[in-house]
Amino acid sequence: MSPLRFTAETSSNGVLERDFIVGEVPGVLWSPVSGSDHAPLVLMGHGGGLHKKTPALKARARDAVTTWGFTVVAIDAPGHGDRPRAAEDERARAEFRQAHATGDAERFEAVSVRYATSLAERAVPEWQATLDALQNLPEIGVEAPIGYGGGISLGTAIGVPLTAIEPRITAAIFGGGFFVYEALVEAARRITVPIQFLLPWDDEYVDRESTLGLFDAFASREKTLHANPGDHRTIRWIGVDNEFLARHLGRVGTSPA
Amino acid sequence: MSPLRFTAETSSNGVLERDFIVGEVPGVLWSPVSGSDHAPLVLMGHGGGLHKKTPALKARARDAVTTWGFTVVAIDAPGHGDRPRAAEDERARAEFRQAHATGDAERFEAVSVRYATSLAERAVPEWQATLDALQNLPEIGVEAPIGYGGGISLGTAIGVPLTAIEPRITAAIFGGGFFVYEALVEAARRITVPIQFLLPWDDEYVDRESTLGLFDAFASREKTLHANPGDHRTIRWIGVDNEFLARHLGRVGTSPA
């Protein structure tokens, strides 16, 4: 098993931010400066083409630390952020550009699905290795409850197959904003933990019905869909239950910091 | 204009419950025993075959009074609760029984739509007359912000056309659980106030797509859909934004009682 090695550390406004590496995967861990004794651990995924410290992700992570005392972890997806691009990543990017330039919607969808499938296949074992290494840290251990904190698009394409095979994840936030494919729906059918699902109501590219089909597929007895107008880039999330992870990871009743 | 006449009064646990009548329409007003100086007024609709003091409605009303200091009003729909049934109501009930007994789904939908349309046509002016009379009460006046508090099924079939023509209503909670028809979708297209929409994900009778079409139709810039598993009788509403009306009627920041 690859150990976790911390490579940088900063702190501001009560939040400790530590860069780390596990094997060849760079990640970042946010936690309260005051310590985090087996606090719930939330896994956050970034969108396609983005990286582990994308401003929106970072803001959500810091908020989860300061409001609930969570520990939050993000890693760069294969070929994203600080990671080198394999030949496959370069090819996929070139294909995206071409499909977009020619306005070929069918090809755009085919390229998206093929690339998301490949990224998820590579990212799932990386997340599992990261979890193994994090559980070796004394402040996390095997005691920390674990939730998947989203987000939409690539974060869901990776998070759904991860949650389907990873019993350590006991609650998850997923969402739309990307092309849903059959393997993902199959994985969703094997998921029984509580799910919060965020649907951008007006996505420019993605057929709404296919995303509703993904929500439908989760075998979870408790699952809630929240939809707001907008596409996955412009959407403002209003009226979403912000206590979802805290409730399921055992932090409701904790007084917000 | 018919004045409002109070006919009975009780109080318990800090909530004053006053029965009233406006013209021939009986209603009930819940408010804080401690007084309600121009507090937000919430209109609640009951489901088909039910009445203004149905336990679930009463519990939500009392909760809104004690949590937010709202005033809540409910009235019996035509032919419901304490009201006499017109020939039309008796005929609709007989038709329902027959369609249900013969398992004729198409006829069941046709009867439902015809009856909901008739109830809404009669109930909308009754709600407006009730509002007029309530605004003559000094503790409500024209200053109290007004919201429509749901609920699903018949409450929405009446609430949507009411909100479409009633500028006094500035935020509304609607939902699914009944057959959506074109006149309702037309009315929704004229609504621009913030909407919270509750969708029972697994209704036994109602096509999910038609209910999503109703949500889609609202012209509101701010609208949020919440879906949970279950039909409109068995559903447990988890993760729904309970502050929606308080936020839009100006009560967030008010310390819950």
Side-chain angles (χ1 to χ4, degrees), chain A residues 69-113:
Chain A
F70 288 167
T71 302
V72 178
V73 58
I75 59 176
D76 281 331
H80 284 69
D82 297 329
R83 302 182 63 177
R85 292 181 197 153
E88 182 177 359
D89 302 307
E90 297 290 3
R91 195 168 54 242
R93 281 171 177 256
E95 286 175 338
F96 268 125
R97 273 194 301 272
Q98 201 184 3
H100 199 265
T102 59
D104 184 341
E106 208 169 307
R107 187 166 153 72
F108 186 70
E109 176 167 353
V111 172
S112 298
V113 167

Side-chain angles (χ1 to χ4, degrees), chain B residues 143-169:
Chain B
E143 296 91 340
I146 299 173
Y148 190 80
I152 55 178
S153 93
L154 180 60
T156 289
I158 292 172
V160 166
L162 173 65
T163 303
I165 63 157
E166 184 46 80
R168 288 178 286 188
I169 297 175

Side-chain angles (χ1 to χ4, degrees), chain B residues 156-242:
Chain B
T156 289
I158 292 172
V160 166
L162 173 65
T163 303
I165 63 157
E166 184 46 80
R168 288 178 286 188
I169 297 175
T170 56
I173 301 174
F174 298 130
F178 64 104
F179 297 105
V180 172
Y181 43 97
E182 187 51 30
L184 211 60
V185 174
E186 291 294 334
R189 292 207 180 96
R190 297 195 297 275
I191 292 179
T192 58
V193 298
I195 298 296
Q196 181 179 80
F197 194 91
L198 306 180
L199 172 66
W201 190 249
D202 308 293
D203 203 280
E204 188 180 355
Y205 298 108
V206 180
D207 168 52
R208 187 187 295 154
E209 199 53 37
S210 70
T211 311
L212 292 168
L214 178 59
F215 174 70
D216 202 40
F218 292 104
S220 312
R221 197 174 56 84
E222 180 173 341
K223 56 181 178 180
T224 301
L225 173 81
H226 300 280
N228 278 159
D231 70 20
H232 76 281
R233 287 177 216 280
T234 62
I235 198 160
R236 291 186 311 141
W237 288 112
I238 292 173
V240 169
D241 172 21
N242 292 317

Side-chain angles (χ1 to χ4, degrees), chain B residues 8-256:
Chain B
E9 176 175 324
T10 60
S11 72
S12 68
N13 298 320
V15 180
L16 182 63
E17 176 178 310
R18 286 178 289 176
D19 294 350
F20 67 79
I21 193 151
V22 172
E24 295 176 347
V25 179
V28 54
L29 196 63
W30 291 277
S31 59
V33 166
S34 58
S36 55
D37 194 27
H38 306 151
L41 173 67
V42 177
L43 284 45
M44 284 198 186
H46 61 73
L50 302 175
H51 60 82
K52 63 184 177 308
K53 290 190 188 176
T54 300
L57 189 161
K58 193 165 165 167
R60 283 201 302 135
R62 297 185 64 96
D63 185 61
V65 172
T66 54
T67 305
W68 301 107
F70 288 166
T71 302
V72 179
V73 59
I75 59 177
D76 282 330
H80 284 69
D82 297 329
R83 302 183 63 177
R85 293 182 195 152
E88 182 177 0
D89 302 307
E90 296 290 5
R91 194 167 55 243
R93 281 171 177 257
E95 286 175 336
F96 268 124
R97 274 194 300 272
Q98 202 185 3
H100 200 264
T102 59
D104 184 340
E106 207 168 307
R107 189 166 151 73
F108 186 70
E109 176 167 352
V111 172
S112 297
V113 167
R114 199 181 330 130
Y115 193 41
T117 305
S118 152
L119 287 173
E121 277 170 8
R122 292 181 276 165
V124 166
E126 292 174 354
W127 264 121
Q128 295 190 290
T130 303
L131 272 185
D132 293 344
L134 286 169
Q135 289 191 318
N136 269 343
L137 298 179
E139 74 260 37
I140 294 178
V142 295
E143 296 91 340
I146 299 173
Y148 190 80
I152 55 178
S153 93
L154 180 60
T156 289
I158 292 172
V160 166
L162 173 65
T163 303
I165 63 157
E166 184 46 80
R168 288 178 286 188
I169 297 175
T170 56
I173 301 174
F174 298 130
F178 64 104
F179 297 105
V180 172
Y181 43 97
E182 187 51 30
L184 211 60
V185 174
E186 291 294 334
R189 292 207 180 96
R190 297 195 297 275
I191 292 179
T192 58
V193 298
I195 298 296
Q196 181 179 80
F197 194 91
L198 306 180
L199 172 66
W201 190 249
D202 308 293
D203 203 280
E204 188 180 355
Y205 298 108
V206 180
D207 168 52
R208 187 187 295 154
E209 199 53 37
S210 70
T211 311
L212 292 168
L214 178 59
F215 174 70
D216 202 40
F218 292 104
S220 312
R221 197 174 56 84
E222 180 173 341
K223 56 181 178 180
T224 301
L225 173 81
H226 300 280
N228 278 159
D231 70 20
H232 76 281
R233 287 177 216 280
T234 62
I235 198 160
R236 291 186 311 141
W237 288 112
I238 292 173
V240 169
D241 172 21
N242 292 317
E243 295 191 356
F244 172 79
L245 281 180
R247 203 165 62 238
H248 291 291
L249 303 181
R251 277 286 161 127
V252 158
T254 304
S255 61

Side-chain angles (χ1 to χ4, degrees), chain A residues 152-153 175-178 197-204 206 208 211 225-235 237:
Chain A
I152 55 179
S153 96
F178 65 104
F197 194 91
L198 306 178
L199 173 66
W201 190 251
D202 309 292
D203 203 282
E204 188 180 355
V206 181
R208 188 186 295 153
T211 311
L225 173 83
H226 301 281
N228 278 159
D231 69 20
H232 76 281
R233 287 175 215 282
T234 61
I235 198 160
W237 288 111

Side-chain angles (χ1 to χ4, degrees), chain A residues 100-228:
Chain A
H100 199 265
T102 59
D104 184 341
E106 208 169 307
R107 187 166 153 72
F108 186 70
E109 176 167 353
V111 172
S112 298
V113 167
R114 199 179 332 130
Y115 193 41
T117 305
S118 152
L119 287 173
E121 276 170 7
R122 291 181 276 164
V124 167
E126 292 175 353
W127 264 121
Q128 294 190 290
T130 303
L131 272 185
D132 294 343
L134 286 169
Q135 289 191 319
N136 270 341
L137 297 178
E139 73 260 37
I140 295 178
V142 295
E143 296 90 340
I146 300 173
Y148 191 82
I152 55 179
S153 96
L154 179 60
T156 289
I158 291 172
V160 167
L162 173 65
T163 303
I165 64 157
E166 183 47 79
R168 288 177 287 187
I169 298 175
T170 57
I173 302 174
F174 297 129
F178 65 104
F179 297 106
V180 172
Y181 44 96
E182 187 51 30
L184 212 59
V185 175
E186 291 294 334
R189 291 206 181 98
R190 297 195 297 273
I191 293 180
T192 58
V193 298
I195 297 297
Q196 182 180 78
F197 194 91
L198 306 178
L199 173 66
W201 190 251
D202 309 292
D203 203 282
E204 188 180 355
Y205 298 107
V206 181
D207 167 52
R208 188 186 295 153
E209 198 53 38
S210 70
T211 311
L212 293 169
L214 178 61
F215 174 70
D216 202 39
F218 291 105
S220 313
R221 197 175 55 83
E222 179 172 341
K223 56 181 180 181
T224 301
L225 173 83
H226 301 281
N228 278 159

